[in-house]
Amino acid sequence: MKIKEFFCKSENLIGTGFMLILAAYVVFLMVGDVKRMQAATTNYDYYQNLIYLIENIAKSYFFCIFMLMSFLTYIHKQYSKWCVRLYLLLGISALIYYGWAGIFSENVYNQVEPQFLENFPRMIHTLYTGPALWMIIGYFFTPKILKDAQKLKEEQELTI
């Protein structure tokens, strides 16, 4: 099935529309974060909006990985090892993100003005917990997706 044929089917049109609206909303949030970063008057304002931007990018990244795994398994009926590879990518990405967040939080602590340090824990909480929802969803539901892919593959092999 070609990509154009897939997206033009009526049952896929609703999902495609939803994903486009969601993508436009995420881009709108990211553009707002960048504009607020450019208008920042203090290091605290700049880093707070930078953390919001990083949070939106990380949420989008982990959401896309999860949706790609779901798309390959349930819609495209892809039975290759891509779901396993994406699961490994999810794990490696989470480790890299949290390792980088630790280093970044030290840099932010050194750059923020002393009068704003009481707000520092809230900023770092946002940095660490922002993409956590999609990471958790990915880790809890990916084994089910992999199990369903294995079942579908076995059913396909039985029918052949």
Side-chain angles (χ1 to χ4, degrees):
M1 177 184 299
K2 293 181 181 178
I3 293 176
K4 183 178 178 183
E5 293 172 1
F6 174 79
F7 287 112
C8 291
K9 282 186 164 183
S10 62
E11 62 266 4
N12 297 331
L13 200 56
I14 295 170
T16 303
F18 173 74
M19 294 304 281
L20 287 174
I21 290 170
L22 187 62
Y25 178 69
V26 169
V27 168
F28 173 75
L29 289 175
M30 289 180 190
V31 168
D33 292 335
V34 170
K35 285 183 180 179
R36 285 189 300 276
M37 282 172 56
Q38 292 171 343
T41 57
T42 64
N43 284 344
Y44 171 75
D45 292 336
Y46 176 81
Y47 281 111
Q48 182 179 23
N49 290 306
L50 179 60
I51 287 173
Y52 289 149
L53 177 64
I54 292 167
E55 175 193 14
N56 285 329
I57 291 170
K59 281 181 185 179
S60 302
Y61 175 78
F62 288 107
F63 174 77
C64 287
I65 289 176
F66 180 70
M67 290 308 294
L68 184 59
M69 288 185 337
S70 299
F71 174 79
L72 287 173
T73 302
Y74 296 115
I75 296 172
H76 193 54
K77 307 277 192 234
Q78 182 74 26
Y79 307 122
S80 67
K81 295 182 180 180
W82 276 106
C83 286
V84 175
R85 291 177 184 153
L86 288 172
Y87 185 64
L88 293 174
L89 178 67
L90 182 70
I92 292 168
S93 298
L95 290 174
I96 290 171
Y97 178 81
Y98 283 115
W100 176 84
I103 295 168
F104 183 73
S105 64
E106 290 177 22
N107 184 32
V108 171
Y109 183 78
N110 293 331
Q111 299 294 325
V112 172
E113 294 87 356
Q115 66 265 27
F116 296 113
L117 284 180
E118 70 265 359
N119 297 330
F120 180 73
R122 184 173 51 94
M123 287 174 55
I124 300 307
H125 180 267
T126 301
L127 180 66
Y128 278 106
T129 60
L133 174 68
W134 288 110
M135 287 181 199
I136 292 169
I137 287 173
Y139 282 122
F140 280 124
F141 289 109
T142 300
K144 181 183 178 348
I145 291 171
L146 295 174
K147 184 178 175 183
D148 290 346
Q150 184 65 29
K151 281 183 188 177
L152 292 171
K153 182 178 179 181
E154 289 171 359
E155 288 176 9
Q156 184 184 32
E157 288 174 355
L158 289 175
T159 58
I160 293 175

